[in-house]
Amino acid sequence: MTATAMSPATSATSLLLLHTWGGDARTWAPALRFLCAGGRAAEAPDLPGHGERAAEPFTLAGAVETAAARAADAVRDGPADNPADRLVDVPENRPVDRPVDRPVDVVGSGLGALVALALARQRPGAVRSLTLIGFPPAGGPAAAGRLAETEERLRRAGTAAFARGYVDGTLRGPDPARRELLRRAMTATRPRTLLDSLRATLGWADDEPPRPPGSPCLVLRGAHDERVGAEAARTLAGQLGGTYAVVPGAGHVAYLDEPEAFAAVLGDFHHGLDRAAGGPAGRYGTEHVPPMRHSSGPPTPTLPER
């Protein structure tokens, strides 16, 4: 693979992209067109139990190991001539005890946000910045109810019908190709994996309350995300000592709903890290949220502003 020169407008820091619940690496394809403009390097792995790894059980520990291995690969391999080259089948069982030459910008959506946050806490030297999209999920009774409801729907309808209903009720963008990416990925995921990964995501703050991850953090939300409200996202940003930003026009899976706008907001955040502190704001900018004390559990989601 031949490396290309970096565009002056492109961050030289590699990206690690962690897919949403029920998704896989290929769901990043629409966004990669914009994220990798100018030759920026990116890695988008299948998490355990997803995509080409559907036969494997999902565990959070295994997902973090995958993320750590691919963080090292993103730096080692450098930029790609074709963003789609990052989505070819690559063995996932690499050793992860080698050091990362340079930290990467880690971006996770939903389930991927849970993995990204765990990676930043367990291997801080691998992470330059952390972006959490469509996070946090519901906590308390709402979380238990969602898990039980999902299990019942999977049992009664089967995975294919469940996936169709989930995609139709979650994605706002009209592009049928992008909807098909998530629908196919979820249909190919075993019900046990969907439930195990959902349980891990919903229980994200049960054992360890929110605390700053030690690297710059952006909590990113689709403007029309009905699963994670604006107040919940702002609260999380404050708990993590990070910033909060919105993707215009997007719902819960912002990188699939509005890939160009998503890339623009993410680029503003990363270019702000590249520039000296106090540099000019980007097109959308971010809202800094003062650090606050965390509660005993995750913030309660609210409906988005209308």
Side-chain angles (χ1 to χ4, degrees), residues 205-210 239 293-299:
D206 287 349
D207 299 326
E208 186 176 12
Q239 291 170 329
R293 293 181 179 178
H294 60 70
S295 62
S296 59

Side-chain angles (χ1 to χ4, degrees), residues 105-127:
D105 289 323
V106 182
V107 181
S109 176
L111 172 64
L114 172 71
V115 178
L117 185 57
L119 175 68
R121 287 172 173 166
Q122 296 177 28
R123 301 172 184 264
V127 179

Side-chain angles (χ1 to χ4, degrees), residues 6-275:
M6 289 288 181
S7 163
T10 299
S11 175
T13 302
S14 300
L15 285 166
L16 175 64
L17 308 171
L18 303 174
H19 62 74
T20 193
W21 179 67
D24 62 13
R26 295 182 186 276
T27 61
W28 285 102
L32 278 170
R33 172 186 174 190
F34 306 104
L35 293 170
C36 294
R40 189 175 190 184
E43 288 281 340
D46 288 325
L47 296 175
H50 298 78
E52 297 297 322
R53 307 176 66 187
E56 301 177 29
F58 174 84
T59 65
L60 181 56
V64 172
E65 292 299 298
T66 293
R70 298 304 286 266
D73 292 336
V75 173
R76 182 196 66 191
D77 293 343
D81 290 322
N82 183 352
D85 291 342
R86 293 299 178 199
L87 301 180
V88 298
D89 299 336
V90 181
E92 302 288 349
N93 56 345
R94 299 185 178 94
V96 295
D97 55 352
R98 66 187 185 278
V100 176
D101 295 334
R102 294 191 308 277
V104 298
D105 289 323
V106 182
V107 181
S109 176
L111 172 64
L114 172 71
V115 178
L117 185 57
L119 175 68
R121 287 172 173 166
Q122 296 177 28
R123 301 172 184 264
V127 179
R128 180 183 80 146
S129 74
L130 180 67
T131 298
L132 309 178
I133 311 155
F135 202 75
R146 182 181 170 194
L147 185 64
E149 178 187 4
T150 301
E151 185 169 17
E152 178 63 13
R153 289 175 61 193
L154 283 166
R155 185 187 67 80
R156 297 184 63 177
T159 309
F162 175 86
R164 189 179 309 112
Y166 178 84
V167 170
D168 288 345
T170 300
L171 294 189
R172 293 180 56 87
D175 188 328
R178 297 204 294 266
R179 288 175 169 265
E180 187 68 3
L181 281 173
L182 183 55
R183 189 194 67 78
R184 284 188 178 182
M186 184 168 281
T187 298
T189 306
R190 297 186 303 176
R192 178 49 52 195
T193 295
L194 291 172
L195 292 172
D196 287 347
S197 56
L198 180 60
R199 183 179 295 106
T201 307
L202 292 172
W204 71 283
D206 287 349
D207 299 326
E208 186 176 12
R211 58 182 173 82
S215 52
C217 179
L218 172 66
V219 175
L220 193 56
R221 174 181 170 271
H224 304 289
D225 187 346
E226 296 187 357
R227 287 189 170 84
V228 177
E231 187 58 33
R234 285 195 185 97
T235 298
L236 180 65
Q239 291 170 329
L240 299 179
T243 55
Y244 167 74
V246 173
V247 179
H252 184 60
V253 188
Y255 72 90
L256 262 176
D257 266 335
E258 296 289 343
E260 185 172 11
F262 166 79
V265 177
L266 191 65
D268 281 349
F269 175 55
H270 291 158
H271 292 320
L273 299 178
D274 293 338
R275 294 189 297 263

